[in-house]
Amino acid sequence: MKPINVGLLGIGTVGGGTWAVLARNREEISRRAGRDIRISVVADKETAKAKKLTGGKARVTADAFEVVRDPEIDIVIELVGGVTVAKDLILAAVDNGKHVVTANKALLATHGNEIFAAAQKKGVMVAFEGAVAGGIPIIKALREGLTANRIEWIAGIINGTSNFILSEMRDKGLPFIAVLEEAQKRGYAEADPTFDIEGVDAAHKLTIMAAIAFGIPMQLDKCYREGIAKLTQADIRYAEQLGYRIKLLGITKRTDKGIELRVHPTLIPAKRLIANVEGVMNAVLVKGDAVGPTLYYGAGAGAEPTGSAVVADLVDVTRLHTADPEQRVPHLAFQPDRMSSLKVLPMDEVVTAYYLRMQVEDRPGVLADISRILADASISINAMVQREPAKGERQVDIIMLTHQTREKSINTAIGKIEKLPVVTGRVTRIRLEELQ
Ligand code: HSE
């Protein structure tokens, strides 16, 4: 059979990795796909660099739009990034009847509904394994491997940069800002590092996973986000003493009232496997009703790991290229006319447990006042630690872990606690999940 023709848009880190994986494993990949997969044209603004990388084995152009219109091209790989030109390129490729492979999480989380609808109409595939957790085949697992299950929840370490920062803060006792600089030096962080540390990148990936897990449209605007910039050594140490680690988690959960969709620092029991995922590695824990919990671990970024996901999509698309569009796996796992209308819950309605740290005066009745406020809000205390005051100090740290309660209740209680004259400053509140 004649090779399937691919146009690669962007030969940067991931594009270069995709090229390298495909070139190195060409023979095996072709045995799997049933025909040769050939990147015949590469579009990149840096044409000299692209020519050097491809060594004359593909035509190089600076005009990506020329590629999406090229009648010889069957599949377009979009690795341009961003949400403007990339969107125009993908929609133009779809409009020209081409299948698309993309690793563009930001684009899918913001404009995925429109892109998938256009692809559906045209009968073409838009594959996006590389968009979530780099080399981990989590899209395939959620959409196909776990298809028998009613997915109950997903909790993922899906941003390597923030996980690296938290690991280094814990291991080396370094402050947040010093580790962020190190992450940037090593090239882990996104071009705009706030995307990593403020949970934006994780929110993109979580939005995509929630859509596939529950059959809901992409709703990035409803995803709650809180980053890691405010985490202190004190909280990391106290969490550790109580048997927990702090991780930036993306959590999505199906509840009776709706879907929880949230990214924030989270205390998780240190004994859970996922709590021991360190450095830039990613891991996604999925709870299905039939299979129970399953854990997926691996490199969440990088040239060849993400290239691995992109090439896997190329093989899938190649295999299904001639199949009846109706028989293909739906983009978002559920048939487009059978999507769920479950709403995404506002953060106030989310139910979880909490770690609270407050600085108080060390004198009788203080604890009773705080406990009274929590009891009045029906918040039950699960564990409590009071640090001994340093010599000559009258202020002490109190750390409380609560049982599950509604976010709205804890916020009201915190407001009241902060008004007590014996409490200094703000109460630190970090959510806690047992992940059982
Ligand atoms: N900046 C991302 C991370 C890269 O740190 O995980 C891949 O999305």
Side-chain angles (χ1 to χ4, degrees), residues 105 158-161 188-190 196 201 205 300-301:
K105 58 223 161 173
I158 43 180
N159 181 264
T161 303
Y188 296 153
E190 293 284 306
D196 296 298
D201 176 70
K205 296 165 183 167

Side-chain angles (χ1 to χ4, degrees), residues 35 99 123-125 316-329:
R35 62 198 281 197
H99 304 292
V124 296
M125 292 171 268
D316 256 4
V317 173
T318 303
R319 285 172 175 153
L320 294 169
H321 174 56
T322 50
D324 176 355
E326 297 291 313
Q327 305 304 323
R328 294 181 189 138
V329 182

Side-chain angles (χ1 to χ4, degrees), residues 7-20 39 41-55 58-61 77-81 303:
L8 172 61
L9 314 183
I11 191 158
T13 306
V14 178
T18 301
W19 177 273
I39 297 180
V41 51
V42 173
D44 200 292
K45 288 225 161 66
E46 294 184 49
T47 47
K49 195 187 85 186
K51 278 184 183 150
K52 198 165 162 220
L53 266 165
T54 51
R59 183 168 68 81
V60 171
T61 171
I77 308 176
E78 181 278 308
L79 298 173
V80 171

Side-chain angles (χ1 to χ4, degrees), residues 51-360:
K51 278 184 183 150
K52 198 165 162 220
L53 266 165
T54 51
K57 294 201 177 84
R59 183 168 68 81
V60 171
T61 171
D63 181 6
F65 282 95
E66 177 232 307
V67 178
V68 301
R69 289 190 292 261
D70 183 341
E72 294 299 312
I73 295 297
D74 304 299
I75 307 173
V76 168
I77 308 176
E78 181 278 308
L79 298 173
V80 171
V83 296
T84 50
V85 178
K87 182 185 173 202
D88 294 343
L89 285 168
I90 289 182
L91 288 176
V94 166
D95 199 40
N96 282 287
K98 301 187 190 316
H99 304 292
V100 173
V101 174
T102 178
N104 194 333
K105 58 223 161 173
L107 177 62
L108 293 180
T110 42
H111 299 293
N113 300 326
E114 182 186 343
I115 289 170
F116 294 129
Q120 181 72 19
K121 217 165 134 195
K122 271 282 179 182
V124 296
M125 292 171 268
V126 175
F128 51 95
E129 186 64 69
V132 181
I136 305 175
I138 188 63
I139 299 299
K140 191 86 170 171
L142 282 172
R143 198 164 53 182
E144 296 172 55
L146 299 175
T147 200
N149 288 263
R150 187 177 158 84
I151 305 289
E152 294 174 2
W153 52 261
I154 300 173
I157 295 173
I158 43 180
N159 181 264
T161 303
S162 50
N163 201 53
F164 170 80
I165 293 174
L166 293 179
S167 295
E168 292 282 292
M169 284 176 75
R170 189 176 73 86
D171 283 355
K172 303 192 176 146
L174 293 169
F176 169 80
I177 198 72
V179 193
L180 172 62
E181 279 164 18
E182 179 62 27
Q184 283 177 297
K185 259 192 238 151
R186 294 193 190 198
Y188 296 153
E190 293 284 306
D192 177 354
T194 58
F195 268 45
D196 296 298
I197 60 181
E198 295 302 332
V200 180
D201 176 70
H204 290 151
K205 296 165 183 167
L206 185 70
T207 299
I208 297 171
M209 288 197 290
I212 296 174
F214 306 121
I216 55 173
M218 304 281 178
Q219 293 167 78
L220 179 66
D221 55 330
K222 305 226 175 77
C223 182
Y224 175 83
R225 263 192 311 108
E226 205 175 290
I228 59 168
K230 289 195 195 124
L231 286 177
T232 63
Q233 275 300 329
D235 295 314
I236 290 171
R237 297 288 154 237
Y238 287 141
E240 187 125 37
Q241 287 160 22
L242 290 156
Y244 292 85
R245 298 251 167 100
I246 303 179
K247 294 287 184 189
L248 182 74
L249 286 193
I251 299 171
T252 186
K253 238 183 233 185
R254 186 202 299 263
T255 76
D256 293 343
K257 298 206 175 77
I259 303 288
E260 295 184 3
L261 191 61
R262 48 193 171 101
V263 174
H264 50 69
T266 315
L267 270 78
I268 51 177
K271 62 185 180 214
R272 299 268 180 272
L273 272 177
I274 194 170
N276 295 283
V277 171
E278 302 291 4
V280 282
M281 298 307 275
N282 281 199
V284 183
L285 182 57
V286 183
K287 174 83 190 311
D289 69 335
V291 71
T294 53
L295 179 65
Y296 308 83
Y297 168 85
E304 290 212 4
T306 313
S308 158
V310 171
V311 174
D313 276 346
L314 283 179
V315 172
D316 256 4
V317 173
T318 303
R319 285 172 175 153
L320 294 169
H321 174 56
T322 50
D324 176 355
E326 297 291 313
Q327 305 304 323
R328 294 181 189 138
V329 182
H331 290 113
L332 294 181
F334 292 75
Q335 299 297 337
D337 57 344
R338 305 285 298 276
M339 298 291 276
S340 162
S341 56
L342 273 174
K343 64 173 184 146
V344 174
L345 293 172
M347 200 55 198
D348 265 359
E349 297 299 318
V350 161
V351 174
T352 184
Y354 295 87
Y355 159 104
L356 305 177
R357 174 171 61 84
M358 53 204 96
Q359 230 189 15
V360 302

